[in-house]
Amino acid sequence: MNSVHEFLRANPLLQTGLDVLGIVIPLAMLLAFAGMGFMSATAKILSHTRGRSSYDKCARQLAALGLILGWLLLIGGRIWLFFTQEGYTPDSLPGFMVEMTWILLGVGVLIGSLYHALWKPLATMPVLHVTLGILSGVQGSAAVVAALASARFLTALAQPDAATMTLGDLFRPEWGSPFWSALCYTPLLILAMPAAFGALWLPLRRAHDDFGRDHYNTMIPWCAAWARNAWGLFWLLLLISSGMQIAQHWQAGVFTMQDAIIQTSRLLLWLIPALLWTLVCHSAIALRHKLTLLAALVISITFMLPYYLEATAM
């Protein structure tokens, strides 16, 4: 381990890249896991209201994806805690919050496991089954909130004036701070990210779950439409947030052409996923859009870094 740390210290760019990946990938997976229960339960409901078995099959495929993401996060989180345990006192408030986040995630994974495992036994009790899926989403959302709160708390402890900070300073900062923007983004990202993962997951399962070409050419656009709609609402919030930042800089007399270029570039960059998902929605051969769906997912994951920085900004 010492040799690994020395190698990373000698390669700061590699260290930075690994740090960024260590934030954006787990956070994207956590948001996807949190929303997967809601999305799968919705597909389950549609299978009954519309009388189409494709929605039930898609719901089960999405539940399986949620289960994979949840268990990866749960095991990976425990490994991370094992290697960082000496970084904090287990009886301290930061240690309690980190452990509580892992426990909340574990409960969500347990409910999600029951939701998937009882698919056939609960076939005659759809209300109970859908309720399990929704509970999995609610519990996953609680884990997201706890994870961001823990990250914000740990970031605050690293500040020079940490001793003078109160819980009000941490979780009720002044209006217009980046924290409030991140808070508004969270519900829409919980809805968008599972669809972003799910839209790519379905064509990857084509060889294993041979439900026929029509199933995939119907359900992939449905997932893509879900992702596009949720991401479109999120992008509108991002547009409003950028407009408010520009107005503040303009009034303060510090607005520059560089600010305009940065704001415009970030808005155009994170508009691309919605455009790519729209392309898939209107395609009659959605199975051929694996690279399109991968590009949309990768670009949407890149937003996890500024989202995390805004959520933890002091």
Side-chain angles (χ1 to χ4, degrees):
M1 289 297 296
N2 291 333
S3 60
V4 172
H5 290 311
E6 291 176 2
F7 175 76
L8 291 176
R9 281 196 294 268
N11 297 272
L13 290 178
L14 178 60
Q15 175 71 71
T16 302
L18 291 177
D19 290 341
V20 170
L21 291 177
I23 292 172
V24 299
I25 294 179
L27 184 54
M29 291 172 60
L30 180 58
L31 290 165
F33 167 74
M36 201 67 73
F38 298 127
M39 189 175 180
S40 178
T42 301
K44 185 72 177 177
I45 293 171
L46 291 175
S47 72
H48 290 280
T49 58
R50 298 186 180 181
R52 298 184 60 178
S53 61
S54 283
Y55 284 102
D56 183 74
K57 295 172 183 175
C58 178
R60 190 167 188 176
Q61 289 176 307
L62 293 175
L65 173 58
L67 209 57
I68 293 172
L69 293 175
W71 278 106
L72 285 175
L73 287 168
L74 195 63
I75 297 172
R78 193 70 257 173
I79 294 174
W80 178 80
L81 287 174
F82 174 79
F83 283 107
T84 60
Q85 187 74 23
E86 62 182 8
Y88 59 85
T89 304
D91 294 332
S92 66
L93 181 57
F96 171 79
M97 292 183 67
V98 172
E99 289 288 349
M100 184 55 64
T101 300
W102 189 83
I103 292 172
L104 289 173
L105 175 62
V107 174
V109 173
L110 176 61
I111 298 174
S113 299
L114 290 174
Y115 174 63
H116 185 268
L118 298 177
W119 205 273
K120 291 183 178 179
L122 294 181
T124 58
M125 293 181 282
V127 174
L128 177 58
H129 197 199
V130 168
T131 301
L132 274 178
I134 294 175
L135 286 176
S136 173
V138 171
Q139 190 65 34
S141 299
V144 171
V145 173
L148 293 175
S150 299
R152 186 172 177 82
F153 195 91
L154 292 173
T155 302
L157 287 180
Q159 301 298 313
D161 57 344
T164 62
M165 287 187 179
T166 65
L167 289 178
D169 296 330
L170 287 179
F171 302 111
R172 291 198 307 273
E174 62 180 10
W175 177 251
S177 66
F179 171 80
W180 294 111
S181 297
L183 193 65
C184 294
Y185 299 152
T186 301
L188 292 174
L189 290 175
I190 287 176
L191 292 177
M193 293 311 296
F197 277 85
L200 181 61
W201 172 253
L202 292 186
L204 295 179
R205 296 292 295 175
R206 175 70 171 87
H208 187 273
D209 298 328
D210 190 8
F211 296 143
R213 185 174 297 271
D214 290 342
H215 166 78
Y216 290 96
N217 284 332
T218 300
M219 299 319 302
I220 293 174
W222 179 75
C223 292
W226 180 301
R228 177 202 58 192
N229 295 340
W231 193 266
L233 292 175
F234 149 75
W235 189 83
L236 289 177
L237 280 179
L238 185 64
L239 177 63
I240 295 171
S241 176
S242 297
M244 293 175 62
Q245 291 181 27
I246 290 174
Q248 290 176 355
H249 290 172
W250 188 278
Q251 292 175 356
V254 294
F255 183 74
T256 64
M257 183 59 66
Q258 183 179 3
D259 294 327
I261 294 174
I262 292 175
Q263 294 294 340
T264 303
S265 299
R266 67 195 291 261
L267 285 172
L268 291 176
L269 172 63
W270 289 309
L271 180 61
I272 294 175
L275 299 177
L276 294 176
W277 286 318
T278 300
L279 177 65
V280 176
C281 290
H282 295 289
S283 175
I285 47 175
L287 272 170
R288 297 184 181 179
H289 285 280
K290 294 184 183 69
L291 292 180
T292 303
L293 294 169
L294 176 61
L297 176 61
V298 170
I299 295 173
S300 63
I301 287 177
T302 61
F303 182 75
M304 296 302 105
L305 181 59
Y307 168 63
Y308 174 83
L309 294 176
E310 289 192 353
T312 58
M314 293 295 110

